[in-house]
Amino acid sequence: MGLLWRSYGLFAVLTLMGVLAQYEWQPKDAFDEIKVRFDKVNGDNCPILPPRDLTLPEDSVSHIPDIKDVNINPVFPNRTALLHLHNMALSRAFFWSYILQSRFIRPAINDTYDPGMMYYFLSTVADVSSNKHINASAIYFAPNSSFSSSYRGFFNKTFPRFAPRTYREDDFNDPIHLEKISTLNTFYVRDLGAFPPDSALHDYTIKNYHINEWYNAWLPDNVDKRHDTKTTYQVEIRYANNTNETFTFHGPPGADEDPGPVKFTKPYFDCRRSNKWLVAAVTPIADIYPRHTQFRHIEYPTYTAVSVLEMDFERIDINQCPKGEGNKGPNIFADTARCKKETTECEPIDGWGFRRGGYQCRCKPGYRLPGVVRRPYLGEILERASDEQFYNGFDCMKIGWVQKVPIKWFRAPTYVREQYLNRYYEYKNYTTGPSSLHSHKLNINEVLKFILGVNPRSCKNYHPQDLVLTGEFAYEAQKQFENEAKMAIRLANFISAFLQISDPTEVYSGKRVADKPLTEDQMMGETLALVLGNTRIWSAATMWDRRKFPNRTLFGPYAYKRELNTRKFNMEDLARYNKTGEEYIDRPYFRLLKQRWATNFDSLEKYYLKIRLRHNETGEYAQRFEHFPNFYHAATMDHGYWTTPEFDCQGYVKKWLITYAVPFFGWDSLKAKLEFKGIVAVSMNMLQLDINQCPDDYYEPNAFKNTHKCDEKSSYCVPILGRGYETGGYKCECLQGFEYPYEDLITYYDGQLVEAEFENIVNDKESRFETFKCRLAGAAALQVQFTMLAFVMLFGWILLRRNQC
């Protein structure tokens, strides 16, 4: 019995040692160092830790989106969330700069046109509620720079500090949700400027306030010598009564300026607030200061606040691949991948966040996968492998005989050319122009020739029906334009929240007054900010239903731009088109959404708010809002509507546009139930999509599906991002058991080259299309096994001796 127990004990010790020593063969690297620092800090010990422990190195977040590069090079899929954070911060800075200076549009009165406090609070709430990747949103004003209309007799007076901030709470244990399930739809809203005057610890303007990098990025704005240093933007406005106005306002720096309009902070621990590791995008907000002096020559533009949007650091993918062309630094995690550099090379993949394994190991040129391996080696598998598995596997095999790329080309023989034309018969018998869109099998070259040939001059030569495509030509628009749709959802969420929570008739104790109803300038500024904050949005509109906007029968601000990288924008009130058939409420997507949301609102998302605002004008302390907690209902991505591509020959933006429209809601006149109030719509250029020519399931609505020219017997098609609305956005990878035979810097056939050479065959020109095939793996390898060679030689020697005898 004692022997049995000793055996059990020995087995347990060996098992424990095996578990502890499983990854000891892996050397420590930069990821381990950052992980230790990441795990060291929590909500309990962060107040007593030194500031250096509450931040991570700046290069912990690599490949930060650069606005100067957005319309030139494609954005990596694992950086689209960071790009959306960038665009949201930029959009909010444009709006607040616009609305704070819009008082110059209206005649001067003894009142302020600034939004009330509830407008600020609900604006930050909408930033977070519209995107689950954004963890917090805030607006931090410089000392004595915030003017408010929320107190009686407060004209031309300022708050000492004002900083509305919203962050997403973990509502797992919240009494509101008895299901004990985290919904991610509960938000904590607080005015961080509400604190006792003698409590410097809570002053967000000091350098050591929760590792205050976002405030110091742009503030305080000490203007030297010249006062006209702030970038100006111009908006041409046309109102419903056909009066025109050109409004010029100061805003954040332009995309062509250095360092640009958005700064990213290094990761920091948001101590005593959300208690998470966050990364913030910070953009300055401009205003004319000081105000209402009656002497414009002493009023100068300055940065009075910053818009800060924060994202959870754990959601940001890291790049463990070595640095190189197209993968430059700074990046602290560079070269921490486990790929075997002798035969493989690293390629990052998206969706892994802050953890190991977000890459795959591809074979280097001149190497191929073993016959039993189908796809590149996943980094997650390598990171979890034991030392025996790692050293005995995850290699690529050297290609024995490598061919040179053909230099001299020849015309394909007639029978070969006919063979291809019979296989791809759509290139032999085809139609041109609009008729090419309706062929049984599309000739992709003729289809793109028609689509790309339509322009503002030639569109008048086509029937209006020819300028409306089916949804198959906008395949994956919902995915590739997701960030733009989220910006429309953000505005719809804000309007829904304001209409359902803010009551202009409510009376509060003391001198605080309720927010006034939404104004025309506010809605124009919100709509304009969508176009200014995202370069892929060409037009945006906020269309109110009939008699739903205060004191207006119809109101539909529509903002658009005529060219990329401009500082001049246009604004129209669509309500001036009041003829039957021209009203915006007769547009198909407006009528469809109105009918869809006529009666039933059960599927709308419900958001809970916990608002704490200032006690009085000077702050003193934060107190609960009179309605605590509060909630509102709003639409999500699935509640919107995507239109089919259309070339609007009569519109303001003459391009192939795809529109996403999402509804917003408010209480009816009796405040008894919700009702449809209008929609927010954004339009994007269809030609900025990447088309997909690879095979797919039969039910996928893709007009260009399976139009690739890869040799299907030896290779398969893989889409390539960033090629745009052109042919060749794919590569031909070799199938399992085949290899790329040429001495080259790549291991696949590029789709653009394949399409070009196939076009040469169609046009009976010199072509090398026949060479774009993978070779059977190992078939041409000059390798001999010595055992077999010795056996053959021995057998030959025996036969030779027998003949001699």
Side-chain angles (χ1 to χ4, degrees), residues 431-697:
T431 56
T432 60
S435 301
S436 62
L437 302 173
H438 310 292
S439 302
H440 174 67
K441 192 172 183 181
L442 296 184
N443 183 327
I444 186 172
N445 291 335
E446 294 300 324
V447 170
L448 292 180
K449 187 181 298 184
F450 164 70
I451 292 177
L452 300 177
V454 178
N455 56 56
R457 294 187 302 273
S458 64
C459 67
K460 300 179 179 62
N461 302 328
Y462 299 103
H463 192 278
Q465 292 182 352
D466 296 332
L467 302 180
V468 179
L469 305 179
T470 61
E472 294 179 333
F473 291 91
Y475 177 66
E476 283 195 338
Q478 294 90 332
K479 179 180 179 181
Q480 298 185 38
F481 289 143
E482 182 181 11
N483 285 349
E484 289 69 33
K486 287 179 179 178
M487 298 191 74
I489 295 172
R490 184 258 155 214
L491 179 52
N493 272 20
F494 165 72
I495 299 176
S496 298
F498 194 89
L499 295 179
Q500 296 173 43
I501 293 178
S502 179
D503 185 0
T505 62
E506 193 165 5
V507 178
Y508 304 117
S509 60
K511 295 196 298 181
R512 184 162 62 91
V513 296
D515 276 28
K516 297 178 181 178
L518 295 173
T519 65
E520 293 183 12
D521 288 334
Q522 291 168 357
M523 290 296 96
M524 287 183 172
E526 292 280 7
T527 307
L528 180 66
L530 296 178
V531 182
L532 273 77
N534 192 320
T535 57
R536 300 182 76 183
I537 296 179
W538 281 85
S539 67
T542 305
M543 305 177 184
W544 290 76
D545 199 8
R546 191 181 300 274
R547 286 186 289 274
K548 300 304 180 184
F549 190 79
N551 303 320
R552 289 287 300 272
T553 303
L554 290 176
F555 181 52
Y558 174 81
Y560 64 97
K561 59 188 175 188
R562 300 184 187 275
E563 58 184 11
L564 278 175
N565 306 321
T566 181
R567 294 181 185 172
K568 294 183 179 181
F569 300 86
N570 298 80
M571 175 83 69
E572 292 270 348
D573 187 352
L574 299 179
R576 71 187 187 90
Y577 295 99
N578 52 15
K579 294 182 181 179
T580 303
E582 293 184 357
E583 296 178 337
Y584 63 80
I585 59 175
D586 291 328
R587 297 192 179 187
Y589 53 85
F590 188 98
R591 296 176 63 181
L592 184 145
L593 288 174
K594 184 177 180 179
Q595 293 169 5
R596 179 183 296 175
W597 298 100
T599 56
N600 193 343
F601 307 96
D602 293 341
S603 63
L604 292 178
E605 198 76 19
K606 189 175 184 180
Y607 301 98
Y608 290 91
L609 314 180
K610 298 179 180 180
I611 303 177
R612 293 179 181 269
L613 41 74
R614 60 180 54 231
H615 173 66
N616 56 20
E617 301 96 317
T618 58
E620 296 296 337
Y621 59 87
Q623 66 183 25
R624 290 183 175 184
F625 180 53
E626 280 72 4
H627 306 282
F628 186 96
N630 214 331
F631 65 88
Y632 72 94
H633 297 84
T636 61
M637 177 75 73
D638 296 334
H639 298 139
Y641 175 73
W642 292 89
T643 67
T644 56
E646 179 179 0
F647 195 96
D648 191 0
C649 198
Q650 305 298 325
Y652 296 105
V653 182
K654 294 178 174 59
K655 296 181 180 294
W656 289 102
L657 296 180
I658 301 172
T659 301
Y660 176 76
V662 60
F664 53 86
F665 309 90
W667 298 114
D668 61 3
S669 57
L670 300 177
K671 292 192 175 181
K673 64 181 183 67
L674 293 175
E675 69 176 3
F676 173 85
K677 294 289 186 179
I679 67 168
V680 177
V682 291
S683 298
M684 289 70 67
N685 186 2
M686 181 191 69
L687 301 185
Q688 291 183 297
L689 287 175
D690 292 323
I691 64 175
N692 189 339
Q693 295 181 247
C694 295
D696 210 336
D697 296 323

Side-chain angles (χ1 to χ4, degrees), residues 18 146 200 224 244 279 320 421 439 456 583 587 628 636 744 752:
S146 173
D224 261 345
N244 299 331
V279 175
Q320 296 184 248
L421 290 180
S439 302
E583 296 178 337
R587 297 192 179 187
F628 186 96
T636 61
D744 204 347
Q752 290 182 335

Side-chain angles (χ1 to χ4, degrees), residues 729-740:
Y730 60 90
K731 57 183 178 180
C732 302
E733 293 272 10
C734 293
L735 285 168
Q736 182 181 10
F738 291 84
E739 61 189 15
Y740 184 77

Side-chain angles (χ1 to χ4, degrees), residues 22-27 29 31-32 318 320-321 333 335-339 346 352 355-361 377-387 389-390 394:
Q22 182 177 0
Y23 300 105
E24 287 184 356
W25 64 274
Q26 296 179 350
D29 55 25
F31 180 87
D32 297 306
I318 62 173
Q320 296 184 248
C321 296
F333 302 108
D335 205 15
T336 60
R338 305 294 186 192
C339 295
C346 179
W352 291 84
R355 59 191 181 104
R356 290 185 180 273
Y359 59 91
Q360 62 182 9
C361 302
Y377 302 112
L378 283 178
E380 182 190 22
I381 306 300
L382 272 79
E383 297 286 350
R384 295 187 301 176
S386 65
D387 55 348
Q389 292 172 327
F390 179 80
F394 308 113

Side-chain angles (χ1 to χ4, degrees), residues 39-68:
D39 295 334
K40 178 181 178 181
V41 188
N42 55 54
D44 297 327
N45 64 9
C46 69
I48 61 175
L49 290 176
R52 66 176 179 273
D53 290 341
L54 300 181
T55 59
L56 298 178
E58 190 171 357
D59 54 354
S60 299
V61 180
S62 63
H63 302 83
I64 293 177
D66 186 359
I67 194 171
K68 299 178 177 60

Side-chain angles (χ1 to χ4, degrees), residues 155-408:
F155 174 71
N156 206 21
K157 293 182 180 179
T158 59
F159 290 147
R161 304 287 190 276
F162 183 53
R165 183 177 188 265
T166 297
Y167 70 85
R168 193 187 310 275
E169 270 197 334
D170 184 5
D171 54 3
F172 178 79
N173 288 318
D174 199 298
I176 299 175
H177 306 292
L178 300 178
E179 302 89 348
K180 297 295 183 180
I181 298 174
S182 293
T183 65
L184 300 180
N185 288 342
T186 300
F187 309 106
Y188 184 80
V189 190
R190 183 185 175 96
D191 181 3
L192 298 179
F195 59 88
D198 56 350
S199 178
L201 182 64
H202 296 89
D203 187 356
Y204 60 81
T205 63
I206 64 176
K207 188 173 183 180
N208 291 329
Y209 174 82
H210 303 309
I211 316 304
N212 189 354
E213 282 196 351
W214 24 263
Y215 183 85
N216 297 323
W218 297 101
L219 297 176
D221 184 22
N222 299 317
V223 181
D224 261 345
K225 299 178 182 177
R226 293 176 61 92
H227 282 172
D228 56 343
T229 58
K230 301 299 177 284
T231 309
T232 58
Y233 301 86
Q234 189 179 93
V235 186
E236 296 181 6
I237 306 175
R238 191 169 187 178
Y239 295 98
N241 58 2
N242 281 324
T243 59
N244 299 331
E245 181 172 13
T246 300
F247 176 54
T248 302
F249 69 99
H250 300 271
D256 57 333
E257 299 181 55
D258 193 28
V262 181
K263 293 181 180 179
F264 281 86
T265 66
K266 55 187 177 183
Y268 64 93
F269 191 82
D270 193 32
C271 185
R272 292 181 293 186
R273 302 199 296 184
S274 60
N275 290 325
K276 289 187 175 184
W277 286 94
L278 302 177
V279 175
V282 189
T283 312
I285 298 170
D287 193 8
I288 305 296
Y289 191 86
R291 286 190 174 189
H292 307 292
T293 62
Q294 305 299 323
F295 300 101
R296 286 300 304 276
H297 63 282
I298 66 172
E299 298 177 357
Y300 61 92
T302 183
Y303 295 144
T304 60
V306 288
S307 173
V308 181
L309 275 88
E310 296 156 301
M311 182 179 178
D312 196 336
F313 173 69
E314 284 188 284
R315 289 177 176 263
I316 302 175
D317 290 348
I318 62 173
N319 189 345
Q320 296 184 248
C321 296
K323 294 181 181 179
E325 290 296 327
N327 186 28
K328 298 181 179 180
N331 179 14
I332 196 171
F333 302 108
D335 205 15
T336 60
R338 305 294 186 192
C339 295
K340 294 188 174 181
K341 297 182 180 180
E342 297 79 10
T343 61
T344 63
E345 55 189 6
C346 179
E347 179 181 83
I349 54 180
D350 60 288
W352 291 84
F354 179 61
R355 59 191 181 104
R356 290 185 180 273
Y359 59 91
Q360 62 182 9
C361 302
R362 303 177 50 82
C363 292
K364 295 176 68 174
Y367 293 85
R368 62 173 176 84
L369 288 170
V372 295
V373 180
R374 181 174 298 177
R375 294 290 185 267
Y377 302 112
L378 283 178
E380 182 190 22
I381 306 300
L382 272 79
E383 297 286 350
R384 295 187 301 176
S386 65
D387 55 348
E388 182 181 359
Q389 292 172 327
F390 179 80
Y391 290 118
N392 294 329
F394 308 113
D395 279 305
C396 288
M397 303 176 64
K398 188 172 180 60
I399 297 176
W401 178 39
V402 181
Q403 302 173 221
K404 290 288 185 180
V405 178
I407 299 176
K408 191 174 182 181

